[in-house]
Amino acid sequence: MTQRIALIGNPNTGKTSLFNRLTGSFAHVGNWSGVTVEQKVGQLHGNIGQLIDLPGVYDLDPLSADEAIVSRFLLQESFDGLFNIIDASQFERNLQLTLQLLEMGRPLQIGLNMVDVAEGRGITINLERLRERLNVDIFPITARTGAGCDVLLSSLQSKPRDPFILDYGQDTERAIQQILDATGRSDRDRWVAVQYLAGNRVISELLESSAPTVLAIRKTLEMKLGRFAHAHITERRREWTKDVRQHVVEERNTRRVTLTDRIDAVVTHPIWGLPIFFAVLYSLFHITFNWVGAPLSDVLDGLLTGPLTSGTSWLLQTLGTSSFIQALIIEGVIAGVGGVLVFVPQIFVLFFFISFLEDSGYMARVAIVMDRFMQLVGLNGKSFIPMIIGFGCNVPGIMAARTIEEERERLVTIFISPFMSCSARLPIYAVFAASFFASNQALVVLSLYMLGIILALIIAKIFTSLLAAEDQNSLFIVEQPPYRVPQGLTLWRSTWQKAKGFVRKAGTFIFGGSVFIWLLAYSGPNGFDVPMDESFLAMVGGVIATLLVPLGFGTWQAGAALITGFLAKEVVVSTMAIIYAVSESDLSASLFPVFTPLSAYSFMAFVLLYVPCLATVAVIRREVGSAKLTWVASLYGLGVAYVVSLLIYQIGRLLGFS
C-alpha cells in the first residue's frame, strides 16, 4: 500500500524546498510566506509513497482560507505520517505547532532545518535532549542544499505512537474527557477535544453540529477558569515551549549584528525603503527592455519573420496548398502567435530577476515597507504579497490572498489584484514603449506598474470603507528570513515555473485565438477574403470605437484588440499583428498613423486597468464564491480604466502633449 505522508510546518521553514528535494517536483519556492496556498502532492523517490505539501501554518486553528486546508486535511483525509519541518532559528515559535502535532498521536518525524542560520545567530540546539523531551525522531537538514534530506526519507516509518499528553489542569482535563464522552470518541482522539477548547473553527463546526452539548461543557469550564478556554490552552502551551527551549537551547552572542540586520536597516528604512523598492523595479525593467530582453527578442523576431516565415511559405507552395490555408498559417498562426512569442526572452529575463528577489529574501521586506501604506487604506503589508505575485500572473496572486486572515481584507485584496501589471500585459507595453518612448522604455513601464499600485490603494480605501465593520483588527505576521544567495538550479526552476504558463498559452490559447481572430478579419458579410475594413472583426471593433474617441484611440482596430484582450491580454498584440499583417518589428510603423505618444500611453493605461482576462475572472469566481461579487470585481475596473485614460488623454492635450 502506498504511504501518504503530510509535510507540515510554519510558513517559510523550507517545506517546499524539501518537497522538491524528496519528490523531484518543481513546486515554486519563494523566500516568503504564502507560496503554498493549496496542498501539492508528489511521488517520493523510490516510489515508496506520496508526499503532500500543506500550506504553512502557525497553529492548527485556521485564521485564513489556506490554513483551513490544513485543519480539514488532518481531520478528514487519510494519511500515514507527518514530516514536521522546524526552523531552528525560530525554534520556540515553531514548537507551538509541533506540540499540537504531537498531541495527535500520529507517526511523526521532525526535520530541523536552517541549523546553519541558527548557529550564525548564536543558537545551538541539543538534539539528544530534544529527542528525549518529544520522544520522536529528529534529523538536522538543510532543505536548500539537500543535506540530511535522504536520511529523513530513509528513516520513514508509519508505526503507531501514543499521543503526547500535556496536562492542562484538573478542570480542563475533566472537560476534555467530558467532550470525548459526549462525542463518542476514544482517548486517541483527545487532540480533537483539546483543539475544540482551543477554539479551532473547523473542529468547532464539526463537534457542535454533531454533539451540541460540547458547547455547554466549554462554557462551564470557562466559568471555572474565569477566562476563555482558548486563552488558558494557549498560555499552557506557551509555558511548555519555554520550558523545552530552556532545557535544549544554548545561546551565545545573541546580540551580534548580522549582515541581514545591516541590509534591513537600509532596505526597510521608513523613508528610504520605498524609493529603494522603486529603484530596484526600475533597474529590473531597464535590464529587461534595454540591455538583455529586447535584443534577444529582436533576434527571435528575425528568426520568426525571416527563415520560419519564408521556409513555411515555400513548403506550403511546394505542397500545393490553397491560398486560404497559406494565408491562415502565414498571416494567422505565424503572425498571431509569433507576435506574442517574440516577447518570451523579455518575459524570461523579467521572471529571472523577480525570482532572484523572491528567493533572496528581499520581497518579504517589501511587504514590511508597504505595511504602513497599506494600513492607510485599511489593509496590511500581507495584502501586498498577492499583489507582488500578481506581477507574474494575476491568477496565483489572487489565490495567494488565501493567506490573509481577515475575510474583509482578503476580499478587497482579490478585488484590487487585477490592477497589477501581469506578464501578459508586458508584450503590449513592449510594443508601444519601443514605438513611442524608445529612449525611456524602462521609465514608462515603471510608471504603469506604479499607476496600478497607486490606483489599487485608492480603490482599496473605497472598498474597505464600504465593507467596514466594527472592531476589525488587522493581523500582520510575515517572516523576515535571512538574506541568501539563490541557487542556480532553484532560480532556473522558479523562472521556468513562471514563464512556462506564458509559453503554454502561446501554444494553445493564443494559437486558437489567433486563428479565430484571423477568420474574423478574413471574412465579412460579403464573403471571404474581404478588405479588412469590411470584415467581421472591423464590425466588432466599430461597436465600441466611438466610445474610445475621447480616450485618444477611437479606431475599430483598437476596439477589436481590446475586446479580444478579454480572452488573454497577450491576444491584444496578436490581434494587432493580424490586423496590420506585419511582424512585431514592423508593427511600430503601422501604429504611428493611428496613435500618438499621448494616446499610446492612454491605451496602455486602459489595458492595465480594464476587465481581467478570462482565467482571472474564473479564479475570482472560485475564490469569492459569489456570482455577484465576481461581476463587481470583473467590471468595476472598466469604469476605472475609462476615467483614468480619459484624464490622461484630455489633461495631456491641455498641457500641450501629443
Side-chain angles (χ1 to χ4, degrees), residues 167-236:
D167 187 355
Y168 290 102
Q170 184 176 357
D171 292 333
T172 305
E173 292 296 326
R174 186 181 299 112
I176 291 171
Q177 188 59 51
Q178 289 173 346
I179 292 172
L180 293 175
D181 294 339
T183 57
R185 294 175 179 269
S186 67
D187 290 342
R188 291 199 64 84
D189 288 327
R190 166 189 165 90
W191 76 278
V192 176
V194 174
Q195 285 292 319
Y196 174 73
L197 294 177
N200 188 301
R201 292 157 178 79
V202 172
I203 290 179
S204 294
E205 292 175 6
L206 175 67
L207 296 192
E208 290 177 6
S209 62
S210 60
T213 56
V214 298
L215 182 58
I217 295 173
R218 185 170 68 189
K219 289 183 176 180
T220 300
L221 172 63
E222 290 175 343
M223 290 181 63
K224 292 180 180 179
L225 295 174
R227 58 177 172 170
F228 291 116
H230 68 80
H232 174 74
I233 297 287
T234 301
E235 181 181 349
R236 183 68 189 91

Side-chain angles (χ1 to χ4, degrees), residues 288-581:
T288 299
F289 290 101
N290 296 98
W291 290 356
V292 181
L296 291 176
S297 291
D298 291 340
V299 172
L300 182 58
D301 181 55
L303 292 174
L304 291 174
T305 58
L308 180 63
T309 300
S310 58
T312 303
S313 178
W314 174 83
L315 179 62
L316 293 174
Q317 292 175 10
T318 302
L319 294 174
T321 57
S322 66
S323 59
F324 173 81
I325 296 298
Q326 292 183 38
L328 172 62
I329 295 176
I330 300 298
E331 300 173 12
V333 176
I334 295 181
V337 179
V340 174
L341 280 179
V342 294
F343 298 103
V344 168
Q346 296 185 40
I347 298 294
F348 264 89
V349 172
L350 179 66
F351 281 157
F352 174 83
F353 286 106
I354 289 178
S355 297
F356 184 92
L357 294 177
E358 288 177 358
D359 203 44
S360 68
Y362 176 67
M363 284 300 196
R365 273 69 182 184
V366 175
I368 303 294
V369 170
M370 290 300 299
D371 179 57
R372 59 195 179 104
F373 296 97
M374 303 300 284
Q375 293 283 358
L376 294 175
V377 300
L379 301 176
N380 65 49
K382 202 165 188 178
S383 291
F384 199 67
I385 292 176
M387 294 167 67
I388 297 174
I389 294 174
F391 287 164
C393 178
N394 291 157
V395 170
I398 289 170
M399 292 173 64
R402 296 177 186 175
T403 63
I404 300 171
E405 292 82 2
E406 210 278 305
E407 181 66 14
R408 175 180 62 100
E409 295 181 8
R410 188 180 74 87
L411 284 176
V412 173
T413 303
I414 290 173
F415 276 31
I416 64 176
S417 289
F419 282 0
M420 298 301 102
S421 285
C422 65
S423 61
R425 297 173 172 94
L426 200 62
I428 306 167
Y429 299 163
V431 167
F432 281 85
S435 301
F436 297 97
F437 309 98
S439 59
N440 295 294
Q441 292 183 60
L443 188 61
V444 167
V445 175
L446 175 62
S447 71
L448 291 167
Y449 276 72
M450 292 178 63
L451 177 64
I453 294 172
I454 292 170
L455 286 172
L457 296 180
I458 294 173
I459 298 300
K461 181 63 176 178
I462 296 173
F463 277 127
T464 52
S465 299
L466 294 174
L467 301 174
E470 295 182 0
D471 301 324
Q472 289 284 0
N473 294 316
S474 181
L475 180 63
F476 179 42
I477 302 175
V478 65
E479 297 290 334
Q480 293 190 65
Y483 290 101
R484 307 183 183 114
V485 177
Q487 295 178 312
L489 181 60
T490 301
L491 271 180
W492 162 248
R493 286 176 172 177
S494 182
T495 302
W496 172 245
Q497 283 295 112
K498 290 182 175 72
K500 72 176 183 180
F502 183 89
V503 177
R504 186 187 296 117
K505 277 200 295 183
T508 55
F509 200 78
I510 296 173
F511 174 85
S514 296
V515 171
F516 178 69
I517 292 164
W518 180 84
L519 288 172
L520 290 178
Y522 188 78
S523 59
N526 298 323
F528 294 100
D529 199 14
V530 298
M532 188 73 72
D533 290 341
E534 300 175 11
S535 67
F536 287 124
L537 188 61
M539 294 173 60
V540 172
V543 171
I544 65 170
T546 304
L547 297 175
L548 300 177
V549 171
L551 311 185
F553 44 88
T555 64
W556 72 261
Q557 292 92 336
L562 290 172
I563 291 174
T564 59
F566 171 67
L567 300 176
K569 293 298 182 284
E570 302 97 329
V571 180
V572 170
V573 174
S574 298
T575 303
M576 288 187 166
I578 292 170
I579 288 174
Y580 295 111

